[in-house]
Amino acid sequence: MPITPDAAATLTPNAHMLGQQGSAQALNTPALVLDLDAFDRNLTRMMDHCKASGLGLRPHAKTHKSVEIARRQLAAGAVGVCVAKLGEAEVMGEGGIDSVLITSPVVKEDGIRRVMDLNGRMADLIVTVDNLDNAQALARAASPEQGGSRPLKVIVDLDVGLHRTGIAPGEGAAELAEFVAASPGLKFMGLQAYAGHLMHVEDYAERREKSLDAMKQLGDMRDMLRERSISCDILTGGGTGSWDIDPEADILTDLQAGSYLFMDTEYNAVHQKSGPEQAFETSLTIQTTVVSANTPGIATTDAGIKSMATDQKTIAIASGTPEGTAYFLFGDEQGGLAFPDKDTGLAPGSVLNLETPHCDPTVNLYDCYHVVKDGTLVDIWPVSTRGRSA
Amino acid sequence: MPITPDAAATLTPNAHMLGQQGSAQALNTPALVLDLDAFDRNLTRMMDHCKASGLGLRPHAKTHKSVEIARRQLAAGAVGVCVAKLGEAEVMGEGGIDSVLITSPVVKEDGIRRVMDLNGRMADLIVTVDNLDNAQALARAASPEQGGSRPLKVIVDLDVGLHRTGIAPGEGAAELAEFVAASPGLKFMGLQAYAGHLMHVEDYAERREKSLDAMKQLGDMRDMLRERSISCDILTGGGTGSWDIDPEADILTDLQAGSYLFMDTEYNAVHQKSGPEQAFETSLTIQTTVVSANTPGIATTDAGIKSMATDQKTIAIASGTPEGTAYFLFGDEQGGLAFPDKDTGLAPGSVLNLETPHCDPTVNLYDCYHVVKDGTLVDIWPVSTRGRSA
């Protein structure tokens, strides 16, 4: 669905350049730039892989935060999308996305009220729990006496080693699943197991071994529930780091990968089965412009701490600078270029593109994607759930 | 100007709690919480200080990004506000703020067009330059033949040691000022000198000595221009780290402090003349909630990399946890609490507040301030220029 010029103008000063040949180099910056062809190839590659593996794809929309991209993923065959937070689910719902799994617990009283409101409006909302108190609070809010129009779908989140969210596999988890399955307002859907601590293990063999172990824990828990006559329609987890390992484990019903669409410096360091070359392309970059260049050997750009995630050690330059140039943060508003020698430089106005250091929190800083094809700005996609962390 | 309920509801799921007693602890989180009383005391203290010192206050709105706060600063006596980027100036203009200094250069062709558009709508827009090519481009755009309704006000940015933006004091800077002063469409207003590299020097005596040296460079440049019959109406610079040093130097006409309103972990480490106790209070915190607590000794909150600046070494807890608890980042969406021992903990639903690690880039992650007084949510202020980095 193409964005209207008025809507685009509220998101970026570059809206008026839409469709102008060569506009991709004339943008007001910093700007998040998405290479449409590379994006499409990534989208297709993961979808084809899942279809060939008999695995559903439930892509994590915490990465892209975009209703438009969620639509494209669903159109390509995804079974639904994941979000990390309730606020994201609400925006996805407003945008017409009707199958959303919230992968983190919602524990506050007002949050549970919002979940029930959203469940009344969304065909296929699924929440996760890892704690009996929370499940009881959901059961009370969803009880038939409260007049909810449909049961609330619930997945039990398992901790397979990350210790961030989830309940350890075993008796406690089984009791939690039994409680959910027995609650009239709730509908038990299955299990989630996300091994987030393994996604960026750079060595493939090590990552494979640990990922298969995490999947075995999930499989054992599924079997334990089966013995108690509780069946799991959904076994969800995995990510871009385990995309070609999870099919081998053959436990998951669907894969929660997100970063594969864009890639970033963090994931580009993670080796594939075949070696260091990546299976997915870097489709997302940060475009920035040199704004000052009065000191030999360095130059100042317009992209600093406010324009990219700063949790990575290095900021990789994708294009636009002399060989050997390094990028550094030069404060909240600016970046710096350190050239290989004092006679090398770039004048103010020069344009360069950075690899996204870490895609999820970088996307969260921007109002829109500048979608580019063959050097032309061809579309503007809102980052619809930007900042919706609550 | 109080926000309407509809406008507030687009910014936060907490809008419906406005005015409810005790609501400050019931918020959907993560939420940026501003203590109104502490904020007001900071606002007044800096304004009184500037008045007593005979210094104007031109507070930097890159910190707060809020039209509402800019209005309050101007009402208290500020001479105007600073912003870092053109996109911020445009939003301030739409909000009725009519005196704005853009402290970074605008170099792109489309940016210069936007500057001229904004100059037609804003009574007192001032831009900065540090480069002759850029000054020439501005002069062309602002030339009387282009039909601009008023001359474009320009300040020459001096590099007093940070090497980020600015031109070194001396002949080149004088020529740049002369060019601006002689250009029919431009109006030379004076000099900017921001010693950003000194603001966080923790030792007071060292910071004082270096700051006074930076101010001396500015004073010498002013005198050099005076000899060429160019006078400076504005000599602008300084910050929260030099707030009580700059009056001693007696060079600046106005102070660009921003962080004093909120304070943060970074500035709380900077010693005052009187010692480690701060002159300004920590008025801004990040409220977060425990969402999972299944592993002894740790708990998981809902505020991670997407909810705070991550360029500081430590994340300080302001309130709500047992003595000895440490906060760590647990991924994009979550934080972690490491308790002093395995028998200590907090249950899901527990609320805590973090000191803002670094206020400017943290504010830039949120859509609004939750303004709190005596435990009640009393107002919602939009972060009007959030993400306007281009």
Side-chain angles (χ1 to χ4, degrees):
Chain A
M1 190 183 315
I3 194 164
T4 66
D6 282 356
T10 66
L11 300 173
T12 169
N14 299 314
H16 69 96
M17 298 183 199
L18 265 170
Q20 286 175 18
Q21 212 175 353
S23 46
Q25 290 293 302
L27 303 175
N28 293 275
T29 59
L32 202 57
V33 170
L34 184 63
D35 179 320
L36 184 58
D37 290 334
F39 167 87
D40 277 338
R41 285 190 293 267
N42 289 342
L43 182 80
T44 303
R45 176 154 200 185
M46 185 64 92
M47 198 66 246
D48 288 351
H49 160 76
C50 286
K51 284 176 183 166
S53 311
L55 197 60
L57 180 61
R58 195 183 302 270
H60 216 310
K62 83 183 190 69
T63 300
H64 59 67
K65 288 182 163 280
S66 158
V67 167
E68 176 64 31
I69 294 177
R71 272 193 209 120
R72 287 169 187 246
Q73 289 175 316
L74 291 168
V79 297
V81 299
C82 300
V83 296
K85 299 293 181 76
L86 172 55
E88 296 175 301
E90 290 170 333
V91 173
M92 286 289 164
E94 282 163 34
I97 307 300
D98 64 0
S99 179
V100 178
L101 164 63
I102 306 175
T103 58
S104 319
V106 177
V107 302
K108 277 214 156 175
E109 189 182 326
D110 199 60
I112 292 172
R113 177 192 62 76
R114 290 163 58 202
V115 163
M116 294 315 303
D117 281 356
L118 184 59
N119 194 47
R121 300 192 302 271
M122 184 179 280
D124 187 31
L125 177 68
I126 312 173
V127 299
T128 50
V129 293
D130 69 6
N131 162 294
L132 190 60
D133 283 348
N134 188 207
Q136 288 169 338
L138 290 169
R140 282 192 300 276
S143 73
E145 298 86 66
Q146 297 293 323
S149 54
R150 64 185 124 213
L152 178 65
K153 294 180 179 173
V154 176
I155 277 179
V156 169
D157 185 26
L158 284 189
D159 177 8
V160 291
L162 174 57
H163 305 324
R164 189 166 68 189
T165 63
I167 182 167
E171 186 57 35
E175 285 170 15
L176 183 55
E178 283 176 327
F179 174 83
V180 171
S183 296
L186 304 182
K187 183 172 183 193
F188 177 76
M189 297 301 294
L191 299 169
Q192 171 177 275
Y194 179 62
H197 55 308
L198 305 179
M199 289 299 144
H200 297 98
V201 171
E202 296 189 4
D203 180 69
Y204 182 82
E206 182 188 351
R207 193 167 75 251
R208 174 178 170 279
E209 187 187 327
K210 291 182 172 172
S211 297
L212 291 177
D213 175 67
M215 284 301 109
K216 183 174 182 310
Q217 295 181 58
L218 174 62
D220 289 349
M221 190 69 227
R222 172 200 58 191
D223 295 344
M224 185 173 174
L225 292 181
R226 195 180 282 156
E227 285 163 19
R228 300 182 187 206
S229 304
I230 297 175
S231 68
C232 294
D233 289 349
I234 297 176
L235 294 160
T236 186
T240 298
S242 63
W243 76 292
D244 60 349
I245 298 167
D246 293 324
E248 183 184 344
D250 198 22
I251 306 283
L252 292 178
T253 60
D254 61 64
L255 185 72
Q256 295 188 358
S259 303
Y260 73 97
L261 283 176
F262 302 145
M263 298 301 286
D264 57 20
T265 303
E266 193 177 20
Y267 263 120
N268 280 337
V270 173
H271 286 203
Q272 299 294 300
K273 189 173 186 175
S274 53
E277 198 177 316
Q278 293 304 312
F280 301 97
E281 299 172 54
T282 301
S283 64
L284 189 70
T285 57
I286 300 163
Q287 189 166 110
T288 176
T289 303
V290 174
V291 295
S292 185
N294 286 327
T295 305
I298 67 170
T300 301
T301 72
D302 56 14
I305 296 172
K306 287 182 182 171
S307 300
M308 68 194 77
T310 62
D311 63 322
Q312 297 300 301
K313 284 198 195 90
T314 57
I315 300 164
I317 299 169
S319 63
T321 59
E323 185 74 27
T325 304
Y327 198 93
F328 61 95
L329 293 168
F330 218 157
D332 299 336
E333 313 289 348
Q334 278 100 20
L337 296 172
F339 299 109
D341 56 70
K342 293 205 170 178
D343 300 325
T344 306
L346 286 174
S350 304
V351 172
L352 59 143
N353 284 54
L354 307 176
E355 203 173 83
T356 310
H358 177 178
C359 56
D360 299 37
T362 298
V363 166
N364 189 47
L365 293 163
Y366 288 87
D367 285 327
C368 70
Y369 297 92
H370 292 85
V371 184
V372 162
K373 190 179 162 76
D374 299 331
T376 298
L377 178 67
V378 295
D379 213 343
I380 308 271
W381 295 346
V383 182
S384 332
T385 68
R386 195 215 51 73
R388 299 287 163 156
S389 292
Chain B
M1 190 180 319
I3 194 164
T4 65
D6 282 355
T10 65
L11 300 172
T12 168
N14 299 313
H16 69 97
M17 298 184 198
L18 264 171
Q20 286 176 17
Q21 212 175 352
S23 47
Q25 290 292 303
L27 302 175
N28 293 275
T29 60
L32 202 56
V33 170
L34 184 63
D35 178 322
L36 184 58
D37 291 335
F39 168 85
D40 278 337
R41 285 191 292 270
N42 289 343
L43 182 80
T44 302
R45 175 156 201 186
M46 184 64 93
M47 199 66 245
D48 288 351
H49 161 77
C50 285
K51 284 176 183 166
S53 311
L55 196 60
L57 180 62
R58 197 183 301 270
H60 216 309
K62 84 183 188 68
T63 301
H64 58 68
K65 290 183 162 278
S66 159
V67 167
E68 177 64 31
I69 294 178
R71 272 193 209 119
R72 287 169 187 246
Q73 290 175 314
L74 291 167
V79 297
V81 299
C82 300
V83 296
K85 299 293 182 75
L86 172 56
E88 296 176 299
E90 290 170 333
V91 173
M92 287 287 163
E94 281 163 33
I97 307 299
D98 65 0
S99 178
V100 179
L101 165 63
I102 306 174
T103 58
S104 318
V106 177
V107 303
K108 275 214 159 175
E109 189 182 326
D110 198 59
I112 292 173
R113 176 193 63 76
R114 290 163 59 203
V115 164
M116 296 314 304
D117 282 355
L118 184 58
N119 194 47
R121 302 192 301 272
M122 184 179 281
D124 187 30
L125 176 68
I126 313 174
V127 299
T128 50
V129 293
D130 69 5
N131 162 293
L132 191 60
D133 283 348
N134 187 208
Q136 288 168 337
L138 290 170
R140 281 192 300 274
S143 73
E145 299 85 67
Q146 297 292 323
S149 53
R150 65 185 125 215
L152 178 65
K153 294 179 179 173
V154 176
I155 277 179
V156 169
D157 185 25
L158 284 189
D159 177 7
V160 291
L162 174 58
H163 305 324
R164 189 166 68 189
T165 64
I167 182 168
E171 186 57 35
E175 285 170 14
L176 182 55
E178 284 176 328
F179 174 82
V180 171
S183 296
L186 305 181
K187 184 172 180 190
F188 177 76
M189 297 301 294
L191 300 169
Q192 171 177 277
Y194 179 62
H197 54 309
L198 304 179
M199 290 297 144
H200 298 96
V201 171
E202 296 189 3
D203 180 69
Y204 182 82
E206 182 187 350
R207 192 166 77 252
R208 175 180 170 276
E209 187 187 326
K210 291 182 173 174
S211 297
L212 292 177
D213 175 67
M215 284 300 111
K216 185 174 180 307
Q217 295 180 58
L218 175 62
D220 289 350
M221 191 68 227
R222 172 199 60 192
D223 296 343
M224 186 174 173
L225 292 181
R226 194 180 283 157
E227 284 164 21
R228 301 183 186 205
S229 303
I230 297 176
S231 67
C232 294
D233 288 350
I234 297 176
L235 294 160
T236 186
T240 298
S242 63
W243 75 294
D244 61 349
I245 298 167
D246 292 325
E248 184 185 344
D250 199 21
I251 306 282
L252 292 178
T253 60
D254 61 64
L255 184 72
Q256 294 187 357
S259 303
Y260 73 99
L261 284 176
F262 303 144
M263 297 302 286
D264 58 20
T265 303
E266 192 178 20
Y267 263 120
N268 281 337
V270 173
H271 286 203
Q272 298 294 298
K273 189 174 184 175
S274 53
E277 198 177 317
Q278 292 305 312
F280 300 97
E281 299 171 53
T282 302
S283 65
L284 189 71
T285 56
I286 300 162
Q287 190 166 110
T288 175
T289 303
V290 174
V291 295
S292 185
N294 285 328
T295 305
I298 67 170
T300 301
T301 73
D302 56 14
I305 296 173
K306 287 182 181 171
S307 299
M308 69 194 76
T310 62
D311 62 323
Q312 298 299 300
K313 284 197 194 92
T314 57
I315 300 165
I317 299 170
S319 64
T321 58
E323 185 75 27
T325 303
Y327 198 93
F328 61 95
L329 293 169
F330 219 158
D332 299 336
E333 313 289 348
Q334 278 99 20
L337 296 172
F339 298 110
D341 56 69
K342 294 206 169 178
D343 299 326
T344 306
L346 286 174
S350 304
V351 172
L352 59 142
N353 285 55
L354 307 176
E355 204 173 82
T356 310
H358 177 178
C359 56
D360 300 36
T362 298
V363 167
N364 189 47
L365 292 164
Y366 288 88
D367 285 327
C368 69
Y369 297 92
H370 292 85
V371 184
V372 162
K373 189 180 163 75
D374 299 331
T376 298
L377 178 67
V378 295
D379 213 344
I380 306 272
W381 295 347
V383 181
S384 333
T385 67
R386 195 216 51 73
R388 298 289 162 156
S389 292

